[in-house]
Amino acid sequence: MSILIIEAFYGGSHKQLVDLLQEELEDSVLYTLPAKKWHWRARTSALYFSQNIPTSGHYRILFASSVLNLTELAALRPDLGKLKKILYFHENQLVYPVKKCQERDFQYGYNQILSCLVADVVVFNSVFNMESFLTSIGKFMKLIPDHRPKDLESIIRPKCQVIYFPIRFPDVSRFMPKHKAAHLQKILSLKENGGTAPSTALPFQQEQRGSENLLKSFDSKSGLGDAAQQESLGCSVRQESYLKTFNSSDDSSTHHGERKQNQCDVLAEADDQQRPLHIVWPHRWLEAVYCGCYPLCPKDLVYPEIFPAEYLYSTPEQLSKRLQNFCKRPDITRKHLYKGEMAPFSWAALHGKFRSLLTAEPREDL
């Protein structure tokens, strides 16, 4: 196994990423700790892994999230310290909100800075994550009373790059209105085919392996899938019931097909006006929009990097006004076609970058 993947907090997005990498990249091995007691994982996982990862002359690359204190591991295991060390940031502790600025809070951010100094490549999941970390180093280090290190940002920055978190989108077309499913195919296919005509196979069909488990996980965590499914199925049941009544009362067949379609269209339009608007907090935005949701996010943090300006609000008053308008005309929101991009976040678009990242020429001292 040439790729050694270490995850000190094996849960949530951390688990999703390393599982995907191990499944899709050949010649890799994964060592993890359960996603419990995050603070203790950040403090002590390096020592645990140093004692429980077998020595091997086949390792060439070490990939770990920033929960791991990479500096400690490299010192405790010099054989691992010689590898090409890649550190992936899901978040960073220099700007992560805390209730109180305690000494242990400083230690977590300090450990991440040290890990960056030891790493060969530092990867962030967004430009915001990278810049907020790098530009905060100077201010953060001023918390040290005296004898402060200097020029750390300039040392770390050349190692840094952004690779968005990869998502293997499941097939949710059966839950979506036809116009949104068609639009989804268009924007994904156009992006991934370099602007050519849409392909006949949706990207989620190309990434179908394991998608059912991802969909189940997404449904259980966000509630979005259940809401979308219930809404879709509810509409279908109402239409079916109405059409059965309509068909039983009309024995003529001359204009049956045309009447059936017209009645269905009228029913669907009336249904859009009457059905309540579902407002959800999905926690996984890149997936929620893919499922047909209309994103409404603060004009802050990473959101302006991901979503066009029309989906952002600046003040609570703007948020309230937008929600009121949506509730007054839920049909407009349901018919809306998302104007941003989703293809850059798919595994189909990102797998090449991860493959390039996780390759290295053997060094003479290995």
Side-chain angles (χ1 to χ4, degrees):
M1 299 295 181
S2 64
I3 304 174
L4 173 62
I5 304 175
I6 301 175
E7 180 50 67
F9 196 76
Y10 187 57
S13 60
H14 292 238
K15 181 181 186 299
Q16 185 176 338
L17 175 60
V18 295
D19 283 351
L20 179 59
L21 293 180
Q22 188 185 30
E23 181 178 343
E24 296 288 344
L25 301 175
E26 304 82 8
D27 204 25
S28 64
V29 62
L30 173 64
Y31 289 91
T32 68
L33 280 172
K36 299 178 180 179
K37 303 183 185 302
W38 177 89
H39 299 89
W40 284 105
R41 297 290 185 256
R43 290 187 183 112
T44 65
S45 61
L47 178 58
Y48 171 84
F49 286 123
S50 72
Q51 294 182 335
N52 288 275
I53 296 178
T55 302
S56 173
H58 297 291
Y59 297 143
R60 291 293 180 270
I61 299 166
L62 191 161
F63 180 94
S65 74
S66 60
V67 176
L68 175 70
N69 189 324
L70 190 58
T71 308
E72 291 180 350
L73 181 63
L76 293 167
R77 285 287 299 272
D79 59 318
L80 301 182
K82 295 178 181 179
L83 307 180
K84 177 184 177 181
K85 297 174 290 299
I86 302 169
L87 193 68
Y88 192 89
F89 275 75
H90 293 261
E91 44 73 32
N92 76 80
Q93 291 298 310
L94 301 193
V95 298
Y96 197 86
V98 292
K99 293 181 179 180
K100 297 180 180 179
C101 186
Q102 300 173 342
E103 185 176 351
R104 63 186 178 94
D105 293 328
F106 175 85
Q107 190 64 44
Y108 300 135
Y110 183 69
N111 289 350
Q112 289 188 332
I113 292 174
L114 291 179
S115 293
C116 288
L117 293 171
V118 170
D120 297 293
V121 183
V122 182
V123 184
F124 293 84
N125 61 357
S126 69
V127 174
F128 169 78
N129 194 6
M130 179 177 72
E131 290 299 327
S132 65
F133 179 81
L134 293 173
T135 58
S136 298
I137 291 177
K139 180 180 179 181
F140 185 80
M141 299 306 288
K142 288 182 180 179
L143 294 173
I144 301 176
D146 54 15
H147 301 287
R148 303 184 187 106
K150 298 180 180 179
D151 303 322
L152 297 182
E153 179 185 348
S154 62
I155 296 172
I156 296 173
R157 183 175 285 275
K159 304 179 181 184
C160 297
Q161 60 178 281
V162 173
I163 303 182
Y164 288 112
F165 186 93
I167 301 172
R168 190 165 56 192
F169 290 114
D171 183 355
V172 295
S173 57
R174 62 191 183 277
F175 298 133
M176 298 177 68
K178 289 184 178 180
H179 72 287
K180 288 196 175 184
H183 179 68
L184 177 65
Q185 178 178 6
K186 180 179 178 180
I187 62 176
L188 286 176
S189 298
L190 283 175
K191 183 67 178 181
E192 293 183 358
N193 293 330
T196 59
S199 61
T200 56
L202 287 171
F204 54 63
Q205 293 172 335
Q206 301 167 2
E207 301 176 355
Q208 188 62 31
R209 181 172 47 177
S211 65
E212 291 299 327
N213 290 335
L214 176 59
L215 180 61
K216 291 178 182 178
S217 174
F218 177 55
D219 290 349
S220 63
K221 290 179 181 178
S222 68
L224 173 65
D226 291 338
Q229 182 178 7
Q230 291 170 5
E231 188 170 296
S232 176
L233 292 178
C235 179
S236 300
V237 169
R238 285 192 294 273
Q239 289 186 13
E240 182 179 358
S241 175
Y242 183 91
L243 289 174
K244 284 182 178 178
T245 303
F246 174 76
N247 292 337
S248 64
S249 62
D250 188 357
D251 296 330
S252 64
S253 60
T254 305
H255 302 291
H256 175 72
E258 181 179 350
R259 289 183 179 181
K260 181 177 180 180
Q261 181 62 45
N262 291 340
Q263 292 291 344
C264 188
D265 291 341
V266 171
L267 179 61
E269 183 175 352
D271 194 56
D272 277 344
Q273 292 280 5
Q274 298 175 5
R275 280 185 296 150
L277 187 67
H278 292 263
I279 302 175
V280 297
W281 180 270
H283 298 286
R284 294 183 179 271
W285 291 90
L286 306 172
E287 288 97 329
V289 174
Y290 173 84
C291 289
C293 282
Y294 184 107
L296 188 55
C297 312
K299 193 175 182 179
D300 196 9
L301 305 173
V302 74
Y303 299 112
E305 183 180 341
I306 298 176
F307 299 111
E310 69 177 274
Y311 303 108
L312 308 176
Y313 64 87
S314 299
T315 66
E317 290 74 21
Q318 289 181 0
L319 171 62
S320 177
K321 185 176 181 180
R322 295 284 294 276
L323 290 176
Q324 288 179 36
N325 292 334
F326 289 161
C327 292
K328 290 177 182 177
R329 291 296 307 275
D331 57 312
I332 294 180
T333 307
R334 290 193 174 96
K335 294 177 181 178
H336 177 81
L337 299 178
Y338 179 64
K339 298 179 182 179
E341 294 184 343
M342 283 176 280
F345 307 101
S346 70
W347 172 249
L350 293 169
H351 76 275
K353 293 184 178 181
F354 277 97
R355 287 184 181 277
S356 299
L357 179 70
L358 294 170
T359 57
E361 294 296 328
R363 286 165 39 180
E364 294 181 358
D365 57 349
L366 290 178

